Amino acid sequence: MSDSLATLIERLAGPARQGQFSRLRRGLEKEGLRVNPVGRIAQTPHPAALGSKLTHPHVTTDYSEALLEYITPVTCRPADAMAFLGDLHRYTYRYLGDELIWPASMPSRLSGNDSVPIADYGTSNVGTMKRVYRKGLDVRYGRIMQAIAGVHYNVSLPDDLWKLLRAMEGAADTPMADYRSQRYFGLIRNFRRHSWLLLYLFGASPALDRSFLPDGREIPDKLQAHGTETLISPWATSLRMSDLGYQNKVQAQLKICFNSLSNYVNTLRNAISTPWPAYAALGVKDGAAWRQLNANILQIENEYYSDIRPKRVTRHGETPSQALEASGVEYIEVRCLDLNPLLTLGLDETQIHFVDAFVMWCLLAESPWISDEECESLDDNRRLVVERGRDPELRLCDQGRGRSVAEWGGEILAAIDGVAGLLDELEEGNPHRDAVAALAPRLADPSLTPSGQLLARLKESGEEFSDAMLALAREQAERLRCEPMDPARQALFEELVGISQRQQQEIEAADRVDFDDFLADYFARARESRIIGEVSP
């Protein structure tokens, strides 16, 4: 732990004991493919009994009609978030018939690109835009990549803490929105430097079904055959986060290293306004039918893939970047977490407590701007851990020094433990420090990681990846179908079915312009700046 961090923790200990900053607030977004009883991606529509996927606040779909997405409310206690997520699963299983929720990030056995159905959000202009955007992802990258699932972890720091930190720094003259955005971007830079640790500790996708690779594609050298239908990467942690998953060579040129809000927003705005010849060659429309929203580097900002994003709840008519410009960063979205198939809900409270402590450490530790050289180095570190994280010979680059995952990770965990102690001042017991202690053995013994455990299971049993995941899906479904729900949440979910369906009907009835005019107006407004004040470094 650096001297500066140790000093800051000591200064914050008293205020923490006095309750001068409250708990972190987080919301979970958890995806999961619907599959049929034999483990093939479901071709059925999103169950109408679950409500409208366009307007339901808690049950929707991501790319595919079969890719369920659960969204919890914002909570202060991890146990509350997990209880809500669990009941979303239990409620859904009442209406899935014999279908199952796939427990892994890498998809089930596929039958080519067209076996991944694109989500349909109805006839409104907003719903049509969501579908055309997904059609654009298909023509650019293919649908198979969009069948990957994960957990998105949205977290915000308490207002009391921002006030305390600003006062301690003597920054009272800095508007709070500016100060908060500066500090959030410092957090994001440190996250980018060290997200390899989360990939190592929680990566759970070292294997995939052969059907994930397009027909005729040569098997990459990093993959080895296991059985007849499975490919594994012996030292990998998260193939989902590798170049097989959410990666894009065109987007790589954007070089967003999160040094400032203005740089981030301007880079994204340029990307959604700059044509890309290869995408133009695909065609934006085929006659009257839309193939993609536009031929630019990004169709919309959501197309940018990153392991973390600064976010703010948008108002009507705002794009995500405009919301950030107008009012600053409100929370961050962590996007690098795999589903852990060995856990019924894909994650647990220990992981949440650890990520909370990790995020807080990223905030409190010094975070200088990232140079172009460092940006390349940290990208290399993430790639190495994704592909070879459990290899004892692996060395990462720490400011020019080669370091093992165990050595560097142990040093980081020691620093996180100090920050975890601050978070535990408000808790019964020490859940954050206990989480750090529970995960520390994974550094010394890679077989304890989720990726290590999954590969061990495949090797010991000789199972194919899809067969092993199907067995887990059946076990989890049986458990969830038998468990009782909280009566109040059950009543809420039942009420939201009708409410969401009526809301979709109202949106569709309210449209007054055709889709072409709607889209032209959207992009004209998206190019407008909403800056209300310069957020300086």
Side-chain angles (χ1 to χ4, degrees):
M1 184 188 305
S2 68
D3 291 342
S4 60
L5 179 59
T7 299
L8 181 56
I9 290 174
E10 184 177 348
R11 293 180 66 191
L12 288 170
R17 285 191 292 270
Q18 296 165 16
Q20 290 187 26
F21 61 86
S22 51
R23 294 177 178 88
L24 280 67
R25 294 164 55 81
R26 92 273 303 140
L28 305 176
E29 301 172 15
K30 188 259 185 183
E31 302 160 345
L33 275 176
R34 285 186 296 114
V35 299
N36 66 21
V38 296
R40 297 277 183 167
I41 186 169
Q43 301 299 304
T44 52
H46 181 76
L50 297 180
S52 165
K53 54 186 174 292
L54 177 68
T55 55
H56 199 294
H58 302 301
V59 184
T60 181
T61 58
D62 195 79
Y63 175 84
S64 174
E65 187 75 3
L67 187 54
L68 286 166
E69 182 175 7
Y70 297 127
I71 304 169
T72 73
V74 176
T75 66
C76 292
R77 298 178 185 274
D80 293 339
M82 293 302 294
F84 198 99
L85 182 63
D87 275 349
L88 284 172
H89 284 73
R90 296 178 190 103
Y91 187 80
T92 300
Y93 262 119
R94 297 185 176 191
Y95 301 102
L96 289 189
D98 59 1
E99 292 179 351
L100 304 164
I101 300 173
W102 192 250
S105 281
M106 301 308 286
S108 60
R109 194 159 296 155
L110 303 168
S111 299
N113 193 67
D114 291 345
S115 67
V116 182
I118 298 176
D120 187 340
Y121 294 92
T123 61
S124 68
N125 285 329
V126 171
T128 301
M129 182 175 177
K130 290 170 74 72
R131 182 167 175 83
V132 173
Y133 166 61
R134 285 157 174 75
K135 291 173 69 175
L137 297 178
D138 178 18
V139 298
R140 293 177 177 210
Y141 320 118
R143 301 185 194 180
I144 288 177
M145 186 179 83
Q146 312 301 326
I148 297 172
V151 176
H152 294 172
Y153 186 85
N154 301 294
V155 61
S156 63
L157 286 300
D159 290 342
D160 291 347
L161 179 58
W162 293 125
K163 295 174 184 176
L164 181 61
L165 291 174
R166 187 173 65 159
M168 290 174 62
E169 289 184 25
D173 293 338
T174 304
M176 180 55 78
D178 289 6
Y179 177 80
R180 189 173 55 233
S181 292
Q182 292 166 24
R183 292 302 301 264
Y184 265 127
F185 269 83
L187 184 165
I188 290 170
R189 290 193 296 275
N190 272 339
F191 185 96
R192 296 271 294 168
R193 289 181 172 105
H194 304 104
S195 61
W196 60 264
L197 180 60
L198 297 183
L199 295 170
Y200 175 84
L201 292 173
F202 302 117
S205 52
L208 50 83
D209 193 272
R210 281 181 182 266
S211 62
F212 182 79
L213 298 182
D215 291 340
R217 175 172 173 175
E218 186 176 344
I219 296 175
D221 292 340
K222 61 190 169 196
L223 298 179
Q224 299 177 3
H226 170 83
T228 58
E229 301 295 336
T230 300
L231 297 171
I232 65 172
S233 187
W235 301 113
T237 61
S238 177
L239 294 177
R240 165 180 171 264
M241 295 298 294
S242 74
D243 57 5
L244 295 171
Y246 287 126
Q247 303 294 324
N248 180 271
K249 292 182 174 62
V250 176
Q251 292 185 23
Q253 68 170 325
L254 298 178
K255 293 298 180 186
I256 299 176
C257 279
F258 301 92
N259 282 328
S260 69
L261 175 59
S262 59
N263 171 260
Y264 176 77
V265 168
N266 290 335
T267 303
L268 285 185
R269 181 167 290 133
N270 182 63
I272 64 172
S273 305
T274 302
W276 189 253
Y279 297 156
L282 297 171
V284 174
K285 296 181 74 173
D286 182 5
W290 287 82
R291 293 173 55 81
Q292 51 184 335
L293 293 175
N294 55 53
N296 299 332
I297 295 173
L298 302 178
Q299 297 175 88
I300 56 176
E301 295 166 25
N302 288 348
E303 191 173 341
Y304 174 61
Y305 300 132
S306 175
D307 54 5
I308 187 170
R309 285 178 181 169
K311 298 292 287 287
R312 183 168 200 91
V313 175
T314 58
R315 296 177 298 183
H316 179 71
E318 275 187 331
T319 68
S321 288
Q322 288 171 335
L324 289 172
E325 278 185 320
S327 304
V329 183
E330 184 178 12
Y331 65 97
I332 57 165
E333 180 185 32
V334 174
R335 301 167 54 82
C336 63
L337 301 176
D338 285 354
L339 301 178
N340 184 344
L342 304 175
L343 299 173
T344 300
L345 301 182
L347 76 165
D348 59 15
E349 288 184 44
T350 296
Q351 182 171 347
I352 293 177
H353 280 116
F354 181 87
V355 175
D356 280 352
F358 179 85
V359 166
M360 183 65 80
W361 170 72
C362 288
L363 172 74
L364 297 181
E366 293 184 12
S367 184
W369 279 29
I370 296 174
S371 66
D372 291 344
E373 182 180 15
E374 185 186 5
C375 195
E376 293 183 6
S377 175
L378 60 87
D379 285 343
D380 287 341
N381 283 343
R382 281 197 304 278
R383 177 184 55 79
L384 287 169
V385 171
V386 159
E387 296 179 357
R388 296 175 47 213
R390 288 177 293 101
D391 183 349
E393 302 300 318
L394 176 65
R395 294 295 180 269
L396 304 179
C397 179
D398 177 16
Q399 297 180 337
R401 292 187 297 150
R403 305 189 68 183
S404 69
V405 166
E407 176 197 7
W408 194 2
E411 186 178 292
I412 294 172
L413 257 60
I416 293 174
D417 185 64
V419 174
L422 293 174
L423 295 173
D424 283 339
E425 292 289 354
L426 290 169
E427 306 290 346
E428 294 181 9
N430 300 290
H432 297 90
R433 297 193 71 183
D434 289 347
V436 175
L439 294 169
R442 296 183 184 182
L443 292 173
D445 186 354
S447 70
L448 299 176
T449 62
S451 57
Q453 290 178 302
L454 286 167
L455 274 186
R457 170 172 175 154
L458 294 180
K459 290 178 178 179
E460 291 168 7
S461 67
E463 292 174 288
E464 300 285 357
F465 166 74
S466 287
D467 294 338
M469 296 304 102
L470 180 59
L472 286 172
R474 289 169 174 163
E475 293 171 13
Q476 293 167 7
E478 183 176 358
R479 186 178 309 122
L480 289 163
R481 285 182 172 124
C482 294
E483 291 175 347
M485 287 181 59
D486 176 87
R489 275 194 289 269
Q490 179 178 340
L492 171 66
F493 297 159
E494 290 172 349
E495 183 180 19
L496 286 172
V497 171
I499 291 174
S500 65
Q501 290 170 340
R502 288 192 295 274
Q503 287 175 334
Q504 177 173 337
Q505 292 168 0
E506 291 168 358
I507 291 171
E508 291 173 347
D511 280 343
R512 294 291 182 268
V513 299
D514 65 24
F515 181 67
D516 290 37
D517 291 338
F518 168 84
L519 203 60
D521 178 66
Y522 174 88
F523 284 117
R525 288 185 288 106
R527 289 189 288 269
E528 298 173 358
S529 175
R530 301 289 174 88
I531 295 176
I532 59 172
E534 179 63 24
V535 179
S536 56

